[in-house]
Amino acid sequence: MVRSAGWAADDVSLEYVGFGTILGKDNKPFKTREGGTVRLTDVLDEAVKRAGDAARDKAPDASDDEVAVIAEAVGIGAVKYADLSNDRIKDYVFDWDRMLALEGNTAPYLLYSYARIRSIFRKGEIDFAGFAPAAVTVDEPAERALAVHLIQFGQAVASVDASLEPHRLTNYLYELAGRFHRFFERCPVLKADSDALRDSRLTLAKLTAEVLGRGLGLLGIQTLERM
């Protein structure tokens, strides 16, 4: 059927992948209040609305256009991530509060982590795109932990390709964000003891943002420079 519809060429390999059931908080299949099937368009519209309300509460001075951009990325990203971050063969409970939380293994947390790195460059008045990577030193444990995790990105992507389990990538990205935050708390970046150390830590920060952006992109999630 897929090939007949022209959605896949003859040289494209297709494989059936099973998924678990999405459950409501009552641990029964996710339904509308009337007991009908929930439409994806309704879920996405509600996600964007909730994300927009949260963005407006957090930044009341933001323009309508700014809120709309954040709401779209966070809301739709949250739904996608919630679905992909679970072992695909297992059932999971659909929970608005959990999927839109800024803490935990969620899209908003990863999007915030990316935006936080971009804010470091803005604060230091450093052009993110134009910053040339410097030699990296990993004298501090937090630096080393972050650097080691960064070089494992290719392995994480390859494991998803081999297993067809997207949650392997989401787990990698969640751990990457956690390691970055620990690094940022323990290793001053803009106020490092020397220019060489500052550039080393800026390089680690930029690499982290690039890997987060690439990983989220593979999941179909748009990043934000500001949140």
Side-chain angles (χ1 to χ4, degrees):
M1 180 183 295
V2 173
R3 297 194 193 281
S4 299
W7 296 339
D10 292 338
D11 59 348
V12 174
S13 175
L14 300 176
E15 184 173 342
Y16 171 77
V17 176
F19 277 81
T21 301
I22 302 176
L23 307 175
K25 289 187 177 181
D26 57 0
N27 285 318
K28 295 180 180 179
F30 192 40
K31 300 286 185 180
T32 63
R33 292 182 179 179
E34 294 75 23
T37 301
V38 178
R39 297 193 309 168
L40 178 58
T41 53
D42 294 336
V43 171
L44 295 179
D45 288 345
E46 179 66 17
V48 171
K49 178 183 180 303
R50 289 176 181 248
D53 291 343
R56 177 63 71 191
D57 290 342
K58 185 177 179 182
D61 295 332
S63 69
D64 291 343
D65 288 343
E66 290 172 331
V67 170
V69 170
I70 294 172
E72 184 85 4
V74 173
I76 294 179
V79 174
K80 288 182 177 180
Y81 193 90
D83 198 51
L84 297 173
S85 61
N86 290 277
D87 187 331
R88 61 175 171 78
I89 65 172
K90 295 182 179 179
D91 300 343
Y92 75 91
V93 175
F94 188 93
D95 186 330
W96 283 117
D97 292 335
R98 184 174 62 190
M99 71 172 56
L100 289 168
L102 274 172
E103 298 180 352
N105 190 8
T106 66
Y109 172 70
L110 295 182
L111 291 172
Y112 165 74
S113 300
Y114 178 89
R116 186 179 189 184
I117 297 173
R118 297 301 297 261
S119 73
I120 294 171
F121 282 78
R122 287 195 301 273
K123 184 177 180 180
E125 297 182 342
I126 303 164
D127 177 37
F128 180 85
F131 177 76
V136 173
T137 57
V138 289
D139 295 331
E140 296 294 330
E143 291 172 320
R144 179 175 178 77
L146 178 58
V148 168
H149 199 66
L150 281 168
I151 63 178
Q152 295 172 346
F153 177 58
Q155 180 181 344
V157 173
S159 72
V160 174
D161 179 56
S163 66
L164 302 180
E165 294 175 337
H167 75 279
R168 292 173 181 257
L169 178 56
T170 62
N171 289 345
Y172 169 87
L173 296 174
Y174 174 55
E175 187 173 345
L176 175 62
R179 292 193 183 205
F180 172 78
H181 288 299
R182 288 190 289 274
F183 155 79
F184 186 69
E185 291 168 0
R186 300 169 188 176
C187 303
V189 177
L190 297 178
K191 296 183 178 181
D193 293 337
S194 68
D195 289 345
L197 184 57
R198 170 180 173 272
D199 288 348
S200 168
R201 291 175 176 173
L202 282 170
T203 298
L204 283 173
K206 182 176 180 178
L207 288 172
T208 300
E210 289 176 341
V211 170
L212 282 173
R214 191 170 301 174
L216 288 169
L218 289 173
L219 299 172
I221 297 174
Q222 174 188 348
T223 54
L224 295 164
E225 294 186 18
R226 301 172 187 268
M227 278 185 68

